[in-house]
């Protein structure tokens, strides 16, 4: 009599939906893993070295003028406070992962990379003009400017088109308010970058056309090989 092969290994069932989710959004989780590594470097670095690493990988005016490509790329993989890593992990799962799974890795990467680069360059151009007009001190050219949140704002924007009406409009109103209120009240260059990134995400609406819906990973779903 043939032996019956169990459909799931004992104790392995809970890991399958998690593994499926991670494999369906590889770019998000590779990015998050790199941020976890750089955050660990900051947390374990002696006094002085952590500040050097953050400044060296910032996309501020000073670093952009010396090595622009490294500054733009490097700033996307660091966060200033390692204690906020858990918060970023949640935000990556809530916004980046669904967008990547919906649009595909290439389109998702186009959206977040465009937002990160454009928002950084535009906001730093405004800083340069403010320095030249003597509206802000020249030390603004050396501030820590790491742009992980710019890509997040772009994913928040484009995710609008994933939601059905009328919930789409409530979500959009909340997103606009979340980024517009700090820009109006605080007038910081980071808030400007966030607002620009949100608009860039919204402007990528053409990428969302004719994208087929993909099934949601369920708790009992099998993990394809």
């Amino acid at each position: 009599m043939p032996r019956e092969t169990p459909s799931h290994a004992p104790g392995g069932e809970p890991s399958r939906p998690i593994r499926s989710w991670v494999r369906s959004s590889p770019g998000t989780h590779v990015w998050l893993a790199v941020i976890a590594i750089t955050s660990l470097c900051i947390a374990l670095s002696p006094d002085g070295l952590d500040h050097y690493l953050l400044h060296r990988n910032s996309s501020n005016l000073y670093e952009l003028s010396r090595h622009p490509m490294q500054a733009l790329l490097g700033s996307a993989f660091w966060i200033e406070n390692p204690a906020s890593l858990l918060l970023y992990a949640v935000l990556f799962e809530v916004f980046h992962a669904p967008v990547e799974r919906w649009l595909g890795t290439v389109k998702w990467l186009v959206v977040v990379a465009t937002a990160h680069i454009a928002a950084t360059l535009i906001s730093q151009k405004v800083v340069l003009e403010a320095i030249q007009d003597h509206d802000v001190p020249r030390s603004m050219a050396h501030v820590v400017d790491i742009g992980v949140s710019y890509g997040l704002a772009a994913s928040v924007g484009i995710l609008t088109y994933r939601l059905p009406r009328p919930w789409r409009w409530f979500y959009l109103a909340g997103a606009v308010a979340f980024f517009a209120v700090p820009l109006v009240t605080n007038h910081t260059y980071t808030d400007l970058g966030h607002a620009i990134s949100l608009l860039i995400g919204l402007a990528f609406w053409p990428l969302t056309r004719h994208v087929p819906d993909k099934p949601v990973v369920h708790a009992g779903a099998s993990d394809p090989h």
Side-chain angles (χ1 to χ4, degrees), residues 2-13 16 222-223 225:
R3 295 179 58 188
E4 182 180 351
T5 303
S7 58
H8 299 285
E13 221 175 299
R16 290 185 178 275
S222 61
D223 186 19
H225 294 281

Side-chain angles (χ1 to χ4, degrees), residues 1-224:
M1 182 175 179
R3 295 179 58 188
E4 182 180 351
T5 303
S7 58
H8 299 285
E13 221 175 299
S15 67
R16 290 185 178 275
I18 297 175
R19 184 165 50 182
S20 297
W21 177 258
V22 171
R23 291 176 62 180
S24 68
S25 48
T28 295
H29 294 94
V30 168
W31 190 3
L32 187 58
V34 175
I35 292 173
I37 293 172
T38 57
S39 297
L40 183 62
C41 291
I42 293 297
L44 298 179
S45 295
D47 291 341
L49 181 57
D50 54 346
H51 296 292
Y52 170 79
L53 290 173
L54 289 175
H55 281 277
R56 189 69 173 80
N57 290 280
S58 289
S59 52
N60 54 36
L61 287 173
Y62 178 75
E63 297 297 336
L64 283 171
S65 65
R66 296 183 63 200
H67 32 74
M69 295 304 297
Q70 179 180 331
L72 285 171
L73 181 62
S75 63
F77 294 98
W78 297 78
I79 56 176
E80 190 167 0
N81 183 6
S84 61
L85 176 61
L86 179 59
L87 173 61
Y88 277 106
V90 172
L91 293 175
F92 269 51
E93 298 297 342
V94 172
F95 295 107
H96 278 319
V99 172
E100 183 183 2
R101 191 168 195 274
W102 171 40
L103 297 180
T105 300
V106 173
K107 289 183 178 180
W108 163 78
L109 186 59
V110 167
V111 174
V112 297
T114 300
H116 172 70
I117 294 171
T120 297
L121 295 179
I122 293 173
S123 60
Q124 288 302 313
K125 174 65 173 177
V126 175
V127 173
L128 177 61
E129 292 178 351
I131 292 175
Q132 292 173 341
D133 293 338
H134 305 288
D135 293 331
V136 297
R138 297 187 65 85
S139 60
M140 286 294 295
H142 299 268
V143 296
V144 172
D145 181 41
I146 42 183
V148 173
S149 57
Y150 291 168
L152 270 170
S155 282
V156 170
I158 200 167
L159 191 61
T160 301
Y161 307 115
R162 180 69 164 126
L163 303 177
R165 300 179 181 88
W167 307 112
R168 173 182 301 181
W169 310 121
F170 291 109
Y171 172 87
L172 178 60
V176 170
F178 183 83
F179 291 108
V181 170
L183 178 62
V184 172
T185 57
N186 299 330
H187 308 289
T188 70
Y189 302 104
T190 300
D191 293 329
L192 174 63
H194 289 153
I196 292 170
S197 296
L198 178 69
L199 292 177
I200 289 173
L202 292 169
F204 270 107
W205 169 76
L207 283 185
T208 69
R209 299 181 63 186
H210 312 301
V211 176
D213 288 339
K214 296 182 179 180
V216 179
V217 176
H218 295 288
S222 61
D223 186 19

